[in-house]
Amino acid sequence: PKPRDRRKILKKFLFDFEHTISKCDLDDLTAATEGWSGCDLESLAREAAMAPIRECLKFAAAARRKARRVEQQGGTDPSEEAARTEDSFEVAKQEMFEKIQSLRPVTIEDFQSALDFLLYSSHN
């Protein structure tokens, strides 16, 4: 697509999620995607939109590891250990739920990372 059409396509995908992409950023993305197809642009937008979600998943994995460490610390009383483990997992689950509800907006940095990733992927 021509630059004007690429801009329209990117703008359409940006409508679907919260973002901090400015008009200037959109111009830069339009220029950086010279020669890209509509499907390529869709992949770019999806990859960028996944960045905040991936952060939540990384957080969840770290919280889960922390809960396992608490579980492995053990204790003298089995009922105390079970309660501590259950509390740790419950706290981790609640923190992840809160993170998902308050996902950060997609940024130009997310798009830059997505561009780098897709360009790297297409050459390997």
Side-chain angles (χ1 to χ4, degrees), residues 70-71 80-93:
V70 168
E71 179 182 2
E80 183 182 299
E81 183 180 334
R84 189 172 57 236
T85 299
E86 187 175 321
D87 288 346
S88 296
F89 283 116
E90 191 57 40
V91 167
K93 191 177 3 173

Side-chain angles (χ1 to χ4, degrees), residues 54-120:
R54 285 190 185 100
E55 288 171 8
C56 275
L57 294 175
K58 285 179 186 177
F59 174 82
R64 182 103 173 147
R65 284 191 300 275
K66 182 179 176 183
R68 281 199 188 115
R69 281 194 301 274
V70 168
E71 179 182 2
Q72 291 170 350
Q73 287 175 354
T76 54
D77 182 0
S79 64
E80 183 182 299
E81 183 180 334
R84 189 172 57 236
T85 299
E86 187 175 321
D87 288 346
S88 296
F89 283 116
E90 191 57 40
V91 167
K93 191 177 3 173
Q94 183 61 34
E95 287 175 351
M96 187 179 117
F97 181 70
E98 289 169 6
K99 285 259 188 211
I100 288 173
Q101 286 185 318
S102 61
L103 278 179
R104 68 167 177 78
V106 176
T107 65
I108 189 61
E109 290 80 13
D110 296 325
F111 271 91
Q112 289 297 337
S113 294
L115 270 168
D116 292 344
F117 174 76
L118 292 172
L119 289 171
Y120 177 80

